[in-house]
């Protein structure tokens, strides 16, 4: 089995450089976000706990496919074994589905914070947050095992060319939960008497909403377009967007739009500089 991304050799080096830079940016940004949350006690809250998990998922998400893509762009041997393809599919599905579930958990967290603030501390305790994270990772693992086992139990007649593979299984349910959560949030915000209160409530959701829009928006364009308008080239570019670009943008969105994350990143990088000079 083999997956092709570019048919033109002249484009391969440019694509390799571009994808490598985005890949390294994604890894660095998400690792810094997770490290900043881990090392700054002020960020040990449910919202940032989920954000740290999201960063870890993004790292796994991109690492499951991008290294092989980079190798294929600069190598004559662009094939991948049946076992390698199955392994790649399992990990990609695991991280992708887990991310869908985690985004739903993050939406539920914002719903509890805005719609039930007096009970937020008890209903979103460390134990509850840990359970939601474990469920997200667990669902991703189960779907990954089930889908990979089903697909690779089929018979493949000789070498196969796969333009790209992405699962839409179990994506719609988390999305509906996100929509329901934000429907309740919007209803609660509209009846708030204070404009400042409405602005503050919406600002705590803005980063998450933007990440959800990028993640689901790019996937929806791929799968919900009319069949006649599909083309392998456009589909590959869209796949590249929600595999690499969104993972690269997420740390930027949270660091630029969140003062606490920005301050924690500055403290974390400052500590590293002090240790280096020491």
């Amino acid at each position: 089995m083999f997956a092709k991304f570019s048919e033109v050799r002249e484009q391969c080096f440019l694509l390799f450089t571009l994808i490598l830079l985005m890949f390294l940016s994604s890894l660095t940004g998400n690792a810094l976000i997770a490290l900043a949350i881990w090392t700054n006690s002020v960020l040990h809250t449910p919202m940032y706990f989920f954000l740290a998990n999201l960063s870890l998922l993004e790292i796994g998400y991109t690492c499951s496919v991008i290294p092989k893509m980079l190798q294929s762009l600069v190598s004559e041997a662009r094939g991948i074994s049946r076992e390698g393809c199955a392994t790649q599919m399992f990990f990609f599905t695991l991280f992708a589905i887990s991310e869908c579930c985690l985004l739903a958990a993050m939406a539920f967290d914002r719903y509890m914070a805005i719609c039930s603030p007096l009970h937020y501390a008890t209903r979103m305790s460390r134990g509850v947050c840990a359970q939601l994270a474990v469920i997200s990772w667990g669902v991703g693992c189960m779907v990954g095992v089930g889908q990979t086992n089903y697909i690779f139990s089929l018979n493949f007649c000789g070498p196969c060319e796969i333009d790209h593979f992405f699962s839409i299984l179990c994506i719609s349910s988390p999305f509906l939960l996100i929509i329901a959560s934000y429907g309740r949030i919007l209803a609660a915000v509209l009846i708030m008497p204070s404009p400042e209160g409405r602005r503050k409530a919406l600002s705590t959701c803005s980063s998450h909403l933007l990440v959800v829009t990028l993640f689901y928006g790019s996937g929806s364009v791929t799968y919900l377009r009319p069949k006649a308008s599909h083309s392998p080239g456009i589909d590959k570019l869209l796949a590249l967007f929600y595999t690499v670009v969104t993972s690269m943008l997420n740390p930027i969105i949270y660091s630029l739009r969140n003062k606490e994350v920005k301050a924690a990143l500055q403290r974390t990088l400052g500590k590293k500089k002090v240790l280096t000079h020491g």
Side-chain angles (χ1 to χ4, degrees), residues 143-207:
V143 173
V145 169
Q147 178 170 291
T148 306
N149 182 64
Y150 170 73
I151 290 176
F152 285 88
S153 66
L154 303 174
N155 292 322
F156 292 89
C157 302
C160 300
E161 180 179 314
I162 303 174
D163 284 327
H164 69 290
F165 61 80
F166 297 101
S167 169
I168 59 171
L169 185 64
C170 295
I171 289 178
S172 57
S173 296
F175 184 65
L176 291 175
L177 290 174
I178 293 171
I179 295 297
S181 296
Y182 275 107
R184 298 292 297 272
I185 289 171
L186 183 60
V189 168
L190 289 175
I191 63 174
M192 288 181 178
S194 167
E196 179 63 22
R198 290 195 294 269
R199 187 198 64 77
K200 187 175 180 180
L202 290 174
S203 69
T204 65
C205 304
S206 59
S207 296

Side-chain angles (χ1 to χ4, degrees), residues 24-153:
L24 294 176
S25 298
S26 174
L27 290 183
T28 303
N30 283 294
L32 283 174
I33 291 285
L35 181 62
I37 293 172
W38 180 267
T39 57
N40 288 270
S41 58
V42 70
L43 298 184
H44 291 177
T45 63
M47 182 171 70
Y48 296 116
F49 169 76
F50 291 129
L51 178 57
N53 273 269
L54 180 65
S55 295
L56 294 176
L57 283 170
E58 293 286 12
I59 291 172
Y61 187 62
T62 53
C63 286
S64 63
V65 291
I66 300 305
K68 180 60 183 175
M69 181 188 294
L70 292 171
Q71 183 264 326
S72 297
L73 286 170
V74 295
S75 173
E76 293 292 336
R78 296 185 175 182
I80 184 171
S81 66
R82 181 188 176 94
E83 293 75 17
C85 188
T87 302
Q88 188 181 67
M89 178 175 285
F90 164 72
F91 281 107
F92 182 84
T93 304
L94 185 161
F95 293 120
I97 299 299
S98 296
E99 182 165 341
C100 291
C101 295
L102 192 72
L103 288 172
M106 294 173 78
F108 177 72
D109 171 68
R110 292 299 83 207
Y111 159 71
M112 292 301 301
I114 293 171
C115 299
S116 187
L118 297 179
H119 303 286
Y120 179 72
T122 54
R123 294 182 178 176
M124 294 302 294
S125 64
R126 287 188 177 184
V128 172
C129 293
Q131 288 175 7
L132 289 172
V134 169
I135 290 171
S136 298
W137 287 80
V139 170
C141 186
M142 287 189 293
V143 173
V145 169
Q147 178 170 291
T148 306
N149 182 64
Y150 170 73
I151 290 176
F152 285 88
S153 66

